[in-house]
Amino acid sequence: MFRCSLFYLAAGLTLAAPIARADEAWNAHVQATYVWQAKPAFDAAYTGPASLAPWRETGYSFSATAAFGVRPWTGAELYVDPEVVQGKAMSGLHGLGGMTNGEEQKTSGTSPTFYRARLFLRETWNLSGDSQPVDSDMNQLAGSVASLRVVLTAGNLAASDIFDANSQAHDARSQFLDWALVAHGAWDFAADARGYTWGAALEYYDGDWAVRAGRFMLPAESNGLPLDTRIFKHYGDQVEVEHHHAWFGQPGTVRVLAFRDRARMGSFRDALAAAAPPDVGTVRRERSKTGFGLSLDQAVAGRAAMFARASRNDGQSETYAFAEIERSLSVGATLQVRGADTLGIAAVRNGLSQAHRDYLAAGGIGAFIGGGRLDYHPEQIAETYYKIGLGRYAALSLDWQHIANPAYNGARGPVNVAGVRLHGQY
């Protein structure tokens, strides 16, 4: 379900020499991605209503997106993205903190579903400084921007289009697949069940520095598809500070993100006090959830790069829009092996708050996890992929994930998931 795109990186990360480029009046791009995954049977002392099934399973996802852009006036860009998806999630998308397929949606089904993914306007005010090139891409018109500029983006999009744009671990269509590797695991970001929302973000760029803030609509109900349009009552706010640097002559970026969600959410402690087994759905009231994330991506040599993320939220209330993760640490590296081939390897450690552990141990069920009991251990994930370039417009990836303590339960697993991904973009 995690809708991520790299279309915004060029505006923020370009380190090329100053250059002026003619503005592209319009463009059209398309992408299609198919992911197939399988897991063998694994050991499990018990299985609950929201556990990963211990028998052999397969799952798949398919998405196809068209992206149309036009420049209605100088400095403005208008985009619309129709999209179609279908898929089958393993275990009904239950039983893991870090789900194994970032292309999988919470509303996936085996019949194709057509909808509009994005419809947004971007306005750029170039103030002064060097001119930086912007390439033509999905949701990005070719042209140039000033190093000192202000950018306003408003409409229907994904919060991850703008925030937490780690260059090595951000896009499930071409990089790592696990949910905990395409974004801060503990960032319960505003999104509907497909990963999109409505809202606006304002950004300020000044050379190596950028500051951005945005407000977006949360779902009307926890992890639901309809959005709550009362954006001044229920909302997801985030602020991010970004700095580009050179370390031993190699470019890198550090980002610090803070977020606050406001919605009718159920508290784990309130649910424990109300009934047995506890149910957060019965104790929902106006609440806030806060958290933060730290991200680094760093080139190491001409063909290698590394990344790291750390994130945490307060862990007092139910997962509202993303994953059942409240503490997350990830590290990894990528290497351009030959030509267009890429090798990626990463490790993740996810955790829960004490309140959430107590809720699950007492028989509570969450949006994605809950087995009726809990032998708590941090969930640990290792993922590696090898992406093979198939000409200029396509790539085939082989992916493997090893998950110890799935859904934070030492009585289950480990689980191995093998995958194949075919991605094309023009």
Side-chain angles (χ1 to χ4, degrees):
M1 59 77 65
F2 189 79
R3 291 289 153 252
C4 56
S5 172
L6 297 182
F7 73 78
Y8 217 77
L9 292 183
L13 298 185
T14 300
L15 299 175
I19 185 172
R21 179 171 295 179
D23 288 346
E24 190 175 32
W26 66 275
N27 70 13
H29 293 272
V30 294
Q31 78 82 29
T33 305
Y34 177 80
V35 178
W36 179 88
Q37 292 183 316
K39 66 173 180 63
F42 63 90
D43 292 334
Y46 53 86
T47 297
S51 296
L52 191 68
W55 50 83
R56 183 184 183 276
E57 283 188 295
T58 62
Y60 76 93
S61 66
F62 170 76
S63 72
T65 314
F68 302 102
V70 64
R71 198 181 299 275
W73 59 82
T74 301
E77 303 158 63
L78 179 65
Y79 298 96
V80 60
D81 293 11
E83 190 164 74
V84 58
V85 299
Q86 71 178 91
K88 179 177 74 72
M90 291 188 291
S91 302
L93 208 62
H94 289 115
L96 293 170
M99 296 294 178
T100 61
N101 182 0
E103 274 283 278
E104 197 76 65
Q105 295 188 2
K106 299 172 186 175
T107 57
S108 289
T110 54
S111 298
T113 301
F114 294 83
Y115 56 89
R116 185 199 63 247
R118 293 180 177 89
L119 174 61
F120 68 93
L121 178 72
R122 181 188 300 136
E123 178 77 30
T124 301
W125 293 276
N126 291 309
L127 303 179
S128 64
D130 296 336
S131 179
Q132 300 176 345
V134 177
D135 294 329
S136 181
D137 205 343
M138 295 189 72
N139 300 303
Q140 183 171 282
L141 291 169
S144 58
V145 294
S147 59
L148 180 62
R149 64 190 183 278
V150 175
V151 181
L152 174 66
T153 306
N156 177 199
L157 69 162
S160 58
D161 290 342
I162 299 173
F163 295 87
D164 189 26
N166 190 295
S167 65
Q168 303 304 307
H170 185 65
D171 189 351
R173 293 170 177 168
S174 62
Q175 299 171 328
F176 295 96
L177 279 167
D178 196 280
W179 284 23
L181 287 167
V182 295
H184 289 298
W187 178 28
D188 202 0
F189 59 88
D192 64 17
R194 294 189 178 117
Y196 300 107
T197 183
W198 283 82
L202 186 65
E203 304 175 85
Y204 175 77
Y205 291 87
D206 186 0
D208 293 333
W209 289 91
V211 180
R212 55 184 64 94
R215 170 168 288 191
F216 300 98
M217 293 179 185
L218 285 164
E221 294 184 358
S222 172
N223 295 281
L225 184 58
L227 290 168
D228 188 339
T229 58
R230 298 171 294 176
I231 197 169
F232 295 104
K233 183 177 182 180
H234 297 148
Y235 49 80
D237 285 345
Q238 39 273 308
V239 177
E240 186 175 61
V241 178
E242 174 182 280
H243 182 252
H244 303 286
H245 62 264
W247 184 52
F248 292 102
Q250 299 293 331
T253 306
V254 176
R255 299 176 183 87
V256 180
L257 178 143
F259 77 91
R260 179 177 183 264
D261 295 338
R262 182 70 179 175
R264 284 185 57 82
M265 295 182 277
S267 159
F268 299 122
R269 292 298 183 201
D270 288 351
L272 285 162
D279 181 0
V280 289
T282 65
V283 294
R284 289 180 175 134
R285 61 179 178 84
E286 297 291 326
R287 297 184 58 87
S288 295
K289 177 185 289 188
T290 59
F292 69 89
L294 174 65
S295 171
L296 165 71
D297 55 77
Q298 176 67 54
V300 178
R303 301 174 67 86
M306 59 167 287
F307 70 91
R309 277 193 183 100
S311 59
R312 182 185 182 98
N313 68 51
D314 58 37
Q316 299 306 302
S317 55
E318 64 183 307
T319 297
Y320 207 78
F322 187 39
E324 299 236 31
I325 303 171
E326 287 143 5
R327 292 91 172 90
S328 187
L329 176 65
S330 61
V331 295
T334 61
L335 174 66
Q336 301 296 314
V337 180
R338 61 175 184 84
D341 291 6
T342 304
L343 173 67
I345 186 168
V348 182
R349 182 183 175 93
N350 295 326
L352 298 178
S353 67
Q354 188 62 57
H356 199 169
R357 299 179 207 176
D358 294 344
Y359 174 80
L360 294 172
I365 304 299
F368 305 107
I369 62 176
R373 290 178 277 169
L374 181 67
D375 177 16
Y376 179 78
H377 288 73
E379 183 180 77
Q380 300 179 62
I381 303 167
E383 180 176 0
T384 185
Y385 72 87
Y386 189 86
K387 183 173 66 175
I388 304 166
L390 303 177
R392 182 178 177 185
Y393 301 112
L396 175 70
S397 299
L398 305 178
D399 186 88
W400 177 79
Q401 297 175 54
H402 176 81
I403 306 162
N405 312 316
Y408 314 97
N409 202 331
R412 299 172 54 80
V415 182
N416 292 293
V417 179
V420 178
R421 174 180 57 201
L422 181 62
H423 171 68
Q425 183 169 320
Y426 176 79

